[in-house]
Amino acid sequence: MCKPRHSVIFKLMIFFLTTALVAAMLISGVIIVNANHDEFVPTTEFTSSKRLGNFLQGAVNLMPTVENSLAGRWPEDGIVEMRDLPELAPDLDLGLYWILLDSNLKLLYRDNKTGNIITNIESTQAGTELDFKSATFTSELLKNNYAFQLDFKKGSINLSEGLTSADVPPQLQQISMYQAGRDANITIVLDTSFSKLDHIRNGSIEYSRQQNWTIYALIILGVSLLLFLAAWIFLIRFAGSQQGTSKIQLSWFDRIYGEIILLAVAAMAIITLSAASYFFYNFGSLFGGDPLDYLALILAFYVAGSILFLSLIRRYKAGILWQQTLTATLLRIGKKFYDNRKLLWKAILLYTAYVFFIFATVFLLAVTRFDSALFLLFLAALVILPAVLILLPASRWIVQYQMVNDAAANLGLNSFKLSEPIEKLPVDLRSLADCLSNTQARMQQAVAEQLKSERLKTDLISNVSHDLRTPLTSIISYIDLLKQEPEGSVKTAEYLDVLDQKSQKLKILTDNLFEAAKASSGNLPVKMSNVNLNELVSQLSGEYSDRLEAAKLTLVVKQPQAESGENLPLAISSDGNHISRILDNLMTNAIKYSLSGTRVYLDLYTEENKVTLELKNISKDSLNCSVEELSQRFVRGDESRHSEGSGLGLAIASSLAEILGGELNFKLDGDLFKAILQLPR
């Protein structure tokens, strides 16, 4: 039953879905990477972020620079407000100056040696003059909810109440270490309500917006990644599948060598990953500031690499991943060359001769320069030698090959004749000719055996018909005679006796026929046990003594004997009933067909792992059939078929011997008949 398959269109939709998911993951990754590049952490507040830290770092680093630039220009009170810097130091590159004016960030820089102060805090507020140099003013600044003081000399940070070191941007720690040794401090106060429209407030708004975007990007990235993996599991699972069949569908593209596809997949993967990495960190800086062109390029490489990868998947599922590689192809070619190495050396020799001919020609042209008799001599040699060494042997081989080929064409006509002896053929053609000659011999033998089998089959049908028809005809005839006799006739009892004899003969013949069929098919059960052959032979002698005496035959038994003259016990593992039946059939056959007044020899001996029982007798009739035919069913020694018996005895004995793992062979030497039974010990 075929498994359900998904349509090609549906699989194409899933494939292009993976492309869209890759685009979604790229864009989400850009947002996340840029956030990390901007030192943005989604769980960190703006007031303790690196983004604010970068701004504060610039502002703090500005103070020592301004102090150095004001050397010799300090006012008498030693206090400089940043709004007065353009007048006091017009040559100073103020940098953050304009951003720090009217800002949410308040700075108070104090040089502890000179007492000079730089600040962006206005000295007059609400009609009150502020005393920047008093310690009380600094203490009041540190009471704000987000304020801290950097002591450059001590390298310490004093925090306002409620703040911890985690609330301070990490860059300020670096500033304290960088300015170590300067006897100065700076107090920083940040209005966390961002009441003024300045650069810090804009940064806070941008930070919050980016925080939301990054959270969304993380969600989109996670969902896209899960869908991407699920889609690829589907594509791999059903790659090459087709509706209505379980066979993997391959295309011409899947016939390209696997190494080429694998290298292309690796190249596409490296290019795609490298391009994606560059795209993350340079979003918007390529192709004239349009990132969509670069995104399309990445997706194009992804699609190409995915198509190549799916080709490898289809090959694996079809079981041709290894076979369709250049390495496997070269190995197969190498194996063919190795298997035909007897022919290969000739090709190599011809190629070497050809190369030698080319080099000799070039050498000749270089040496003689066409102006000497030596050139003509070399030229003649280069023409004659290849003809003798290459053309003549090759031509002779082709002629001999064609001769063998023509002879092979007549093999179907039971004729394989060569115009020259096989011994004169080359080694490779000689082996081919020998093989074809042996094939012809086997074909002739097979035809002979088939004809013999047909003849034996015909004889079997004829013999069965004769042996069954004879008693059956007698039974029918005597039944007709009984019908004609009056009641109380004396001949009725005589006719019934004849009917009984004929019916018993027909029954025996039918039983033997069924037994022969079962024995030849091997359906008879075998019950293995220890069988003492000495006892079987003794029982056989006793059981057939009367019949032997009636036939005027003498049984001579010969068994292995010890030095004391006693018979050596001879036991085997076999089926005693089947062995008894074999011996009964052999002895019955000997009594029935032996010449009266002769001896019947029964020899029992061992050889290696076998036990052999040999029965010999002199036939009273001339045996005109072959040894092989004697073991066929319904074959008798007398072709007139006037003797008693069914012709099944030897056939049954042969089949039983095969069932026991042994064999029963027959030999004829004139009128001497031998039955040789061999059984495993």
Side-chain angles (χ1 to χ4, degrees):
M1 182 178 180
C2 296
K3 297 180 179 179
R5 304 293 174 191
H6 296 276
S7 65
V8 177
I9 297 178
F10 183 73
K11 287 187 284 188
L12 285 175
M13 291 173 59
I14 296 297
F15 180 78
F16 286 116
L17 173 63
T18 64
T19 307
L21 292 172
V22 169
M25 288 189 290
L26 285 173
I27 296 174
S28 302
V30 164
I31 296 174
I32 296 171
V33 170
N34 283 342
N36 183 66
H37 182 70
D38 291 342
E39 299 171 331
F40 167 75
V41 181
T43 58
T44 302
E45 296 293 335
F46 174 71
T47 53
S48 57
S49 66
K50 288 185 177 181
R51 177 174 290 189
L52 178 61
N54 289 334
F55 183 81
L56 295 178
Q57 184 180 25
V60 172
N61 284 332
L62 179 64
M63 296 298 105
T65 303
V66 172
E67 182 183 17
N68 294 333
S69 300
L70 290 174
R73 304 177 187 179
W74 285 93
E76 293 181 0
D77 58 358
I79 299 174
V80 174
E81 296 184 30
M82 296 190 69
R83 63 184 178 179
D84 299 331
L85 283 177
E87 297 178 3
L88 296 174
D91 57 336
L92 178 65
D93 184 8
L94 299 178
L96 293 176
Y97 163 73
W98 301 108
I99 298 176
L100 291 175
L101 293 178
D102 196 23
S103 171
N104 289 301
L105 182 65
K106 302 300 181 182
L107 300 175
L108 181 65
Y109 176 80
R110 182 191 303 273
D111 189 327
N112 294 326
K113 287 184 178 181
T114 62
N116 294 332
I117 292 177
I118 303 174
T119 182
N120 66 343
I121 303 174
E122 296 181 3
S123 59
T124 303
Q125 294 184 4
T128 303
E129 191 75 18
L130 300 178
D131 185 4
F132 293 138
K133 292 188 176 182
S134 67
T136 304
F137 180 76
T138 304
S139 300
E140 289 297 326
L141 289 177
L142 290 174
K143 291 181 179 180
N144 287 275
N145 60 346
Y146 191 91
F148 48 87
Q149 186 181 68
L150 302 178
D151 191 329
F152 297 138
K153 185 176 182 179
K154 297 180 180 179
S156 61
I157 301 177
N158 297 323
L159 303 176
S160 63
E161 186 177 354
L163 288 183
T164 63
S165 58
D167 298 323
V168 179
Q171 292 91 327
L172 298 184
Q173 299 280 355
Q174 300 173 3
I175 294 173
S176 177
M177 295 176 61
Y178 178 75
Q179 299 290 345
R182 180 184 290 272
D183 191 6
N185 60 64
I186 183 170
T187 304
I188 300 174
V189 179
L190 179 65
D191 181 5
T192 55
S193 65
F194 305 110
S195 59
K196 296 183 178 182
L197 300 175
D198 64 348
H199 184 75
I200 295 178
R201 177 176 176 175
N202 293 336
S204 174
I205 295 173
E206 177 66 21
Y207 188 89
S208 299
R209 184 171 60 183
Q210 192 176 31
Q211 188 176 39
N212 294 331
W213 274 100
T214 305
I215 294 174
Y216 295 150
L218 286 171
I219 296 174
I220 293 174
L221 178 63
V223 174
S224 299
L225 181 60
L226 291 177
L227 292 177
F228 178 80
L229 294 176
W232 264 105
I233 291 174
F234 172 84
L235 291 175
I236 293 174
R237 171 64 179 82
F238 294 100
S241 61
Q242 193 177 21
Q243 284 183 324
T245 178
S246 58
K247 185 179 180 181
I248 300 299
Q249 186 71 19
L250 300 174
S251 64
W252 65 269
F253 186 74
D254 298 322
R255 302 298 176 183
I256 301 175
Y257 288 130
E259 291 90 343
I260 299 176
I261 300 298
L262 187 61
L263 290 176
V265 169
M268 293 293 178
I270 293 173
I271 293 174
T272 302
L273 293 176
S274 301
S277 176
Y278 191 78
F279 178 64
F280 287 153
Y281 292 100
N282 298 275
F283 184 84
S285 64
L286 300 170
F287 298 100
D290 188 0
L292 295 180
D293 294 338
Y294 202 64
L295 179 62
L297 182 64
I298 295 174
L299 295 179
F301 278 113
Y302 163 77
V303 170
S306 299
I307 293 174
L308 296 175
F309 178 72
L310 287 174
S311 174
L312 295 177
I313 296 298
R314 289 193 297 271
R315 297 169 193 223
Y316 173 77
K317 296 174 69 175
I320 62 169
L321 182 61
W322 166 248
Q323 292 88 334
Q324 208 61 36
T325 59
L326 179 61
T327 304
T329 303
L330 293 177
L331 289 175
R332 287 195 295 268
I333 295 175
K335 185 178 183 301
K336 289 181 180 179
F337 277 127
Y338 179 78
D339 294 340
N340 297 277
R341 56 190 180 277
K342 294 182 179 179
L343 292 175
L344 182 61
W345 70 270
K346 296 183 179 180
I348 295 175
L349 183 62
L350 290 175
Y351 178 76
T352 304
Y354 170 76
V355 173
F356 173 78
F357 176 78
I358 297 298
F359 277 99
T361 303
V362 174
F363 177 77
L364 175 63
L365 295 177
V367 171
T368 62
R369 300 181 181 179
F370 308 98
D371 57 359
S372 66
L374 184 60
F375 170 75
L376 297 177
L377 180 62
F378 278 177
L379 185 62
L382 291 176
V383 172
I384 295 173
L385 287 178
V388 174
L389 299 178
I390 300 177
L391 183 60
L392 290 180
S395 300
R396 176 173 172 77
W397 190 92
I398 293 173
V399 171
Q400 291 174 327
Y401 174 79
Q402 187 62 41
M403 177 186 64
V404 175
N405 188 50
D406 293 340
N410 296 325
L411 191 61
L413 302 176
N414 200 19
S415 174
F416 181 77
K417 296 181 179 180
L418 298 174
S419 58
E420 61 179 273
I422 294 179
E423 292 76 13
K424 294 185 178 181
L425 295 176
V427 177
D428 48 356
L429 291 180
R430 190 186 310 160
S431 61
L432 176 61
D434 285 335
C435 181
L436 293 175
S437 179
N438 293 333
T439 301
Q440 181 193 21
R442 288 194 294 269
M443 289 176 59
Q444 293 175 345
Q445 181 181 359
V447 171
E449 291 179 355
Q450 180 66 23
L451 293 175
K452 178 182 176 182
S453 176
E454 293 294 333
R455 182 175 61 82
L456 291 176
K457 187 185 299 182
T458 303
D459 292 344
L460 173 63
I461 295 173
S462 176
N463 293 337
V464 169
S465 300
H466 178 274
D467 289 343
L468 292 177
R469 186 174 62 245
T470 300
L472 186 60
T473 302
S474 299
I475 292 173
I476 294 173
S477 299
Y478 278 96
I479 290 176
D480 291 337
L481 291 175
L482 279 174
K483 291 180 180 179
Q484 297 174 8
E485 289 296 324
E487 291 186 11
S489 174
V490 179
K491 293 184 177 181
T492 300
E494 180 182 348
Y495 292 160
L496 289 176
D497 290 338
V498 174
L499 285 174
D500 181 61
Q501 294 176 6
K502 298 299 181 181
S503 61
Q504 290 297 326
K505 181 178 180 181
L506 185 61
K507 179 179 181 301
I508 293 173
L509 181 63
T510 305
D511 291 341
N512 289 340
L513 180 61
F514 279 115
E515 186 176 3
K518 292 175 65 177
S520 61
S521 64
N523 290 329
L524 288 177
V526 177
K527 298 179 181 180
M528 304 298 289
S529 61
N530 289 327
V531 180
N532 191 322
L533 293 181
N534 305 91
E535 294 181 359
L536 282 181
V537 170
S538 299
Q539 292 176 7
L540 186 70
S541 301
E543 291 176 1
Y544 284 88
S545 59
D546 294 339
R547 295 180 60 184
L548 288 168
E549 184 179 353
K552 298 181 180 180
L553 298 174
T554 303
L555 179 63
V556 179
V557 179
K558 183 180 179 181
Q559 301 185 46
Q561 293 182 344
E563 295 180 357
S564 60
E566 296 181 355
N567 293 332
L568 291 175
L570 194 58
I572 63 172
S573 178
S574 188
D575 190 317
N577 293 329
H578 291 339
I579 295 178
S580 298
R581 181 59 191 273
I582 294 173
L583 297 179
D584 287 341
N585 288 4
L586 293 178
M587 186 60 72
T588 300
N589 184 78
I591 294 174
K592 190 181 299 182
Y593 296 108
S594 292
L595 179 64
S596 179
T598 60
R599 295 182 180 87
V600 177
Y601 293 90
L602 180 60
D603 296 339
L604 183 64
Y605 55 90
T606 61
E607 49 183 2
E608 296 182 358
N609 295 325
K610 294 181 180 180
V611 174
T612 303
L613 190 147
E614 185 175 324
L615 186 67
K616 296 177 287 186
N617 67 284
I618 302 297
S619 176
K620 64 182 177 181
D621 297 317
S622 177
L623 298 175
N624 298 322
C625 56
S626 64
V627 175
E628 291 80 6
E629 293 176 347
L630 286 175
S631 60
Q632 300 295 323
R633 286 170 287 183
F634 289 99
V635 175
R636 300 187 193 172
D638 61 327
E639 295 184 357
S640 62
R641 310 188 68 81
H642 293 309
S643 60
E644 294 292 329
S646 60
L648 294 171
L650 297 183
I652 294 174
S654 297
S655 299
L656 290 176
E658 292 179 3
I659 292 176
L660 296 177
E663 57 181 350
L664 179 60
N665 298 314
F666 304 101
K667 291 183 180 180
L668 289 177
D669 186 4
D671 291 335
L672 177 62
F673 175 77
K674 294 182 181 180
I676 303 171
L677 173 64
Q678 291 183 322
L679 296 172
R681 300 195 67 173

